[in-house]
Amino acid sequence: MAYPYYTVVPQTRIQTETFGGYNHNLRILSGEWYDEGNLTSSYYPLFSQREKRGTIATLTNPQGMIAKDALMYVDGATLYYNGSAVSGVTLSTASDMIPKQIVSMGAYAVIFPDKIYVNTASLTDHGSLDATFTSVADADVTYQMCRVDGTDYDLTSATVSATEPTEPANGDYWIDTSADAHSLKQYSVSSGLWVAVATVYTKIGVPNIGVNFKQYDGVTISGCAYVGDNSALGAQIAALNTSHVIYARGTDYIVVVGLLDQAYTQESGAVTVKRESPALDYVTESQNRLWGCKYGMVDGEPVNTIYACALGDFKNWNRFMGVSTDSYYVNVGTDGKFTGACTYLGYPMFFKENCIHKIAGNMPDEYTMYTENARGVEDGSYRSLVVVAERLYYKSRSDVCVYDGSLPVSISERLGNVKYSSAVAGAHGSKYYISMKDAANAWHLFVYDTYRGLWHREDATHALMFAELRGDLVYINATTNALQSVTGASGTLEAS
């Protein structure tokens, strides 16, 4: 009897010695994983689990966070620094005032959209970027010409006319009305000429007008009014209702540029002085200035603008004196809303979904805006902007990008054909942590090892925001409101 012959299939053994991380594509290499959880590249090429995380505290209503010398975060209406509430600071919890953006500038932390500042070196130093004064209706408001320091001119014998006075004495003043714009002139006997005073100032006096302002504040004045039959003086008083720089101040007066034919007292009406910072969508710090951007309608006017505060003074966004420390703004021609802002390689950068705006220069006269038509930040992913090892990473509308100053390059091919959005990111060493949700609203925490080019998926953590603090990376867990550490160096370690 004949028996069939069977071919013995040779056995083979594949040994994986290098683990290549997460690759969510249909075709992957040996050592890669289509799906995974809680793994790390820290011990590459070995297979290893991530470190245990630590829980530092549990918050109630977290809205913002930043790391300075210590951790600062917003819980509800309360600001905390180094674990303690900052006395005297109450933040808004209105829906249009959350979440918070906290920006560092020197020792100060500035909180938007509340426009509140806190000095982290002296927590009693805090307040608002904006200031407003309105005189009571029955208070007299006085107007008179003065020098830049607020000292008065002796104008008791000044002549107001269209023709120059005859037989003037040295030092006499003449208010020349021969042109539409009147001018103040002083007689010099040595030259025999009437010499124009280059800049003339007006002192506006009313009780407490100068209390909340300082020298060189950029302000807007309104409510200055004249009652009488002197049309020229009326026009001069009305001309004070505009933007000004305060050149000198006292408790009961401010000094601004302006000329008056004569002193005047306004006996009724309310005069208002405001120092206001603009409404901003996103804010960053660069070269000792805060920079911000705004797209949309403001006071009934369309705005598509990038702003910078005065040098070293985050309270002043409308100081224009023709000097290097001035405030700055530039209108943007690209369409669409801003989606993020950051500082990279010393340049303030502003993103839309389809372009990148970069500001170069050292002072307002030198500032130049460059625009790149390239993948920008996805709307809703502004917190994904993070610098890791001198390169900028962020979530675009289509992928995760790395940017080195030239053009963005995709690094997310291994995440597969999955649409992610609402990204929030942080950096720890050479790793880029990014939490984002997929089209089914399921959250994922990925880690990209920028040195090795490897991705790992840790778990389903939904992070509200990250902050790097003294070699550790902390984040707020949106599900539990817990303040946690990715390395477990702080707080109570999680269970195995």
Side-chain angles (χ1 to χ4, degrees):
M1 181 175 181
Y3 292 94
Y5 289 93
Y6 289 92
T7 303
V8 177
V9 178
Q11 295 183 351
T12 59
R13 175 182 295 178
I14 299 175
Q15 183 172 340
T16 300
E17 297 181 348
T18 300
F19 292 89
Y22 183 84
N23 189 341
H24 201 70
N25 289 291
L26 296 179
R27 184 174 182 178
I28 64 177
L29 300 177
S30 175
E32 295 180 334
W33 306 87
Y34 182 79
D35 199 3
E36 65 174 32
N38 296 318
L39 299 183
T40 181
S41 63
S42 295
Y43 303 97
Y44 176 85
L46 302 180
F47 175 88
S48 180
Q49 65 185 27
R50 65 167 175 84
E51 297 172 293
K52 293 183 178 180
R53 298 173 187 154
T55 299
I56 302 168
T58 300
L59 311 183
T60 302
N61 184 22
Q63 295 298 336
M65 182 171 63
I66 192 174
K68 291 178 68 66
D69 291 338
L71 193 65
M72 174 180 283
Y73 58 86
V74 177
D75 192 7
T78 305
L79 179 68
Y80 291 85
Y81 183 67
N82 200 20
S84 299
V86 179
S87 178
V89 175
T90 301
L91 303 174
S92 174
T93 57
S95 59
D96 62 342
M97 297 290 284
I98 54 176
K100 311 296 184 185
Q101 294 182 62
I102 309 176
V103 185
S104 177
M105 182 170 169
Y108 288 92
V110 188
I111 305 163
F112 293 91
D114 299 75
K115 303 180 183 180
I116 298 292
Y117 70 89
V118 177
N119 184 347
T120 58
S122 176
L123 294 178
T124 57
D125 178 12
H126 55 73
S128 174
L129 303 192
D130 298 345
T132 301
F133 168 83
T134 301
S135 63
V136 296
D138 59 351
D140 289 347
V141 183
T142 61
Y143 306 89
Q144 62 186 88
M145 279 200 297
C146 66
R147 297 179 177 85
V148 66
D149 60 357
T151 57
D152 298 333
Y153 288 112
D154 182 10
L155 299 176
T156 55
S157 59
T159 301
V160 181
S161 68
T163 57
E164 65 180 54
T166 58
E167 300 181 358
N170 187 52
D172 280 357
Y173 288 102
W174 167 37
I175 299 176
D176 184 358
T177 63
S178 59
D180 291 340
H182 297 183
S183 59
L184 177 66
K185 298 180 178 180
Q186 187 174 28
Y187 187 72
S188 171
V189 69
S190 62
S191 63
L193 298 173
W194 288 95
V195 180
V197 177
T199 307
V200 182
Y201 302 87
T202 292
K203 180 190 292 184
I204 304 174
V206 66
N208 299 317
I209 190 173
V211 170
N212 295 322
F213 303 101
K214 65 181 186 299
Q215 187 181 34
Y216 304 133
D217 271 355
V219 298
T220 301
I221 300 175
S222 60
C224 299
Y226 169 79
V227 177
D229 55 6
N230 187 332
S231 60
L233 182 58
Q236 292 164 355
I237 297 292
L240 295 172
N241 294 310
T242 187
S243 298
H244 290 277
V245 172
I246 295 176
Y247 284 90
R249 57 158 294 280
T251 300
D252 299 327
Y253 71 88
I254 60 173
V255 175
V256 299
V257 171
L259 182 143
L260 303 175
D261 288 349
Q262 65 186 62
Y264 176 70
T265 298
Q266 179 179 335
E267 297 180 348
S268 62
V271 171
T272 298
V273 183
K274 290 184 178 182
R275 183 190 67 231
E276 289 186 294
S277 52
L280 300 173
D281 294 327
Y282 304 100
V283 189
T284 186
E285 186 277 335
S286 178
Q287 299 180 0
N288 204 22
R289 297 178 188 266
L290 290 188
W291 293 76
C293 56
K294 180 65 181 178
Y295 178 87
M297 300 296 292
V298 177
D299 296 330
E301 297 293 331
V303 174
N304 192 9
T305 306
I306 294 171
Y307 303 88
C309 72
L311 182 67
D313 188 354
F314 47 72
K315 296 180 183 179
N316 273 287
W317 299 74
N318 295 289
R319 180 198 295 167
F320 302 104
M321 302 168 60
V323 296
S324 62
T325 58
D326 275 353
S327 308
Y328 172 81
Y329 72 91
V330 59
N331 294 320
V332 176
T334 57
D335 189 25
K337 63 190 296 187
F338 288 100
T339 56
C342 72
T343 298
Y344 179 57
L345 299 178
Y347 299 102
M349 302 183 66
F350 301 90
F351 296 82
K352 297 186 176 184
E353 285 200 329
N354 58 357
C355 68
I356 303 170
H357 298 289
K358 179 169 68 175
I359 305 293
N362 296 312
M363 63 184 70
D365 283 349
E366 298 177 356
Y367 287 145
T368 302
M369 182 181 70
Y370 297 94
T371 301
E372 292 179 288
N373 293 317
R375 284 166 291 178
V377 174
E378 178 186 43
D379 187 20
S381 295
Y382 71 97
R383 291 188 188 271
S384 69
L385 283 158
V386 177
V387 175
V388 187
E390 292 76 53
R391 295 197 293 176
L392 179 64
Y393 294 80
Y394 60 88
K395 174 68 174 65
S396 77
R397 188 163 49 190
S398 58
D399 49 14
V400 180
C401 296
V402 60
Y403 178 82
D404 63 1
S406 53
L407 288 173
V409 176
S410 176
I411 58 169
S412 57
E413 180 184 1
R414 293 189 181 186
L415 297 185
N417 189 27
V418 180
K419 171 63 176 176
Y420 294 102
S421 61
S422 303
V424 175
H428 180 243
S430 63
K431 295 182 179 180
Y432 177 66
Y433 286 73
I434 180 168
S435 173
M436 49 190 175
K437 67 179 180 179
D438 61 26
N441 291 323
W443 285 88
H444 307 263
L445 177 59
F446 294 101
V447 182
Y448 179 68
D449 188 326
T450 63
Y451 283 175
R452 300 181 176 98
L454 299 179
W455 283 95
H456 283 283
R457 180 187 180 276
E458 290 201 348
D459 57 17
T461 294
H462 174 193
L464 284 177
M465 56 205 71
F466 288 88
E468 190 173 14
L469 177 65
R470 294 192 295 270
D472 198 3
L473 181 64
V474 297
Y475 68 95
I476 296 174
N477 190 314
T479 304
T480 63
N481 287 337
L483 181 62
Q484 296 185 280
S485 158
V486 300
T487 66
S490 304
T492 304
L493 290 178
E494 63 184 331
S496 298

